[in-house]
Amino acid sequence: MPLIEAKHIGIEFPVAPPNARSFRHLAIKAASRVGGRVSKSEGSFQFVQALDDISFTLNRGDRLGLLGHNGAGKTTLIRVLAGIYEPTRGSLRVVGRNVPMFDIGLGMDEEASGYENIRTRGLILGLSPEEIEQRVPEIAEFAELGDYLELPIRTYSSGMLLRLVFSIAASIHGDIILMDEWIAVGDAQFRKKTHDRLQEITLRSGIVVLASHDHGLLRDTCNLGLYLDGGRVRAFGAIDDVLKELPAV
Amino acid sequence: MTTLTDGQVERFVVADRRRISWARCREDIAPFVTRHVTWRALAAGDIRSKYRRTLLGPWWITATNAITALIMGTVAGRFLGADMKTYLPHFMVSMTIWGFISSSLSEACYTMINAGGMIKAVDMPILIHIMRMVQRNLIIFLHNIAIIPFIWLVYPWSVGFGAVLGILGLMIVYVFVVSASMIVSMICVRYRDVPPVMAAVLQLLFFISPIIWEPSSIRGGEFIVALNPIAYLLAVTRGPLMGDVPNLATWAGAVGIVALLTAAMIYIYTRYRSRVVYWA
């Protein structure tokens, strides 16, 4: 039974060594709508309160859309749920296996072949070599890169690279999909394919958390919405109600 | 991360990083055992990637070490006026072991810093980055040490069954390198001024340790050798390999140093592991 239970989660980022501080401080102050609140605590260190008192519970079948300005804390919250940032306040319970669908291209080796990169990426994502071998044919088929998989990925076009990266990410099975923006990659044909695959994955999985600025997409995909503003929950509930809370553009 | 009865995984995090419990400690260091496949495969990939499209592949490491030995034995030997029959084996074995220690520690300075992007993107225990780096250096070390039997063929020294103890010594050195690298790496990612300081410390250690000189040849300052942890590590590895099994006190010294360092590493890792992502 997949479950996410966040209770009063807070995240404080320590930022900037003292010499870089003044400029940053001014910049953040000037654009007060953007970003979390900057506060000074714990000696001479500055902290950005990226998330503040976030509480919600997600059960099987919930698809949560995260909304908010740039710097409202959407990406940070996704990373907290993924287990990358440990909350500095509150508690988090996650039952089920995560499928991270963000930063999916990290750790690729330019000189290594497509096949080797599939293996490296699989290892980083926590698969065993045997599990990876089982998936290689499926990934290769989905990416439609054919013999190119034998070549170093520096020979790939950017679109081909995205195909490979997406195919690897989409082959991971789990209960909780975490997505920072809906991924749209490649040419029209592949874009359709990724869209279909993502829908299939989100339908199959227990819980989906999707951060996006695309209101139409969020309305189509999600049943719940969480509107973040300056790291705080501005609204949480049915997606249609939350979308109404957003300031008109 | 715990596995529930129905095969589900559960993760429960409470923000109280100052409290350290045995359960948390065990959970944090478990990947040292459970994830060894990951870093071994990643490190092997790194080595393959580095020597891709080369003629000798990773055996280039052995070849460059052989060239060093050759130069040392033919040219430098004349300058130093040392007896190459005893000095060359000492020098090569010492440099190989020291190479493993020093290259791991100097790489450790930047391991977490360079892995910053990945630490922020993937939920992977950060000790894997360190173990991957140490494993890479271990592979290099094993290629380097392959030259030693050839040197033995040219300038033989007496090797007994004591040499088996050298393997025990190498295990001690391995644990030392893992623990020290982890500590150095976590300090360096937090305090960015440490890497250059570390480079100076390694240079100092190189000169005050019996690597290019033999402990028997020094005149005065013996207490420096007695206080130098590297000297103990060399004594329990190079000693047995070169037919000079150290006494029990030296073994106890080496094990004691490594045990203390490992305890410190486990404490630091458990206490600050979750902060590294904010520093990286």
Side-chain angles (χ1 to χ4, degrees), chain A residues 42 88, chain B residues 14-20 24 271 274-275:
Chain A
E42 287 192 35
T88 49
Chain B
V14 186
D16 62 341
R17 62 194 165 85
R18 283 182 175 81
R19 248 189 53 223
I20 293 180
R24 222 188 114 182
R271 174 79 168 74
S274 62
R275 300 300 298 161

Side-chain angles (χ1 to χ4, degrees), chain A residues 50-95:
Chain A
L51 292 177
D52 191 9
D53 199 20
I54 309 280
S55 300
F56 59 87
T57 304
L58 300 178
N59 293 300
R60 174 183 284 283
D62 281 340
R63 291 150 200 346
L64 177 70
L66 297 179
L67 305 106
H69 296 280
N70 292 333
K74 301 186 298 292
T75 301
T76 307
L77 183 55
I78 293 261
R79 288 180 175 182
V80 171
L81 298 179
I84 292 164
Y85 293 123
E86 275 192 13
T88 49
R89 277 158 220 266
S91 71
L92 172 70
R93 183 194 301 279
V94 176
V95 182

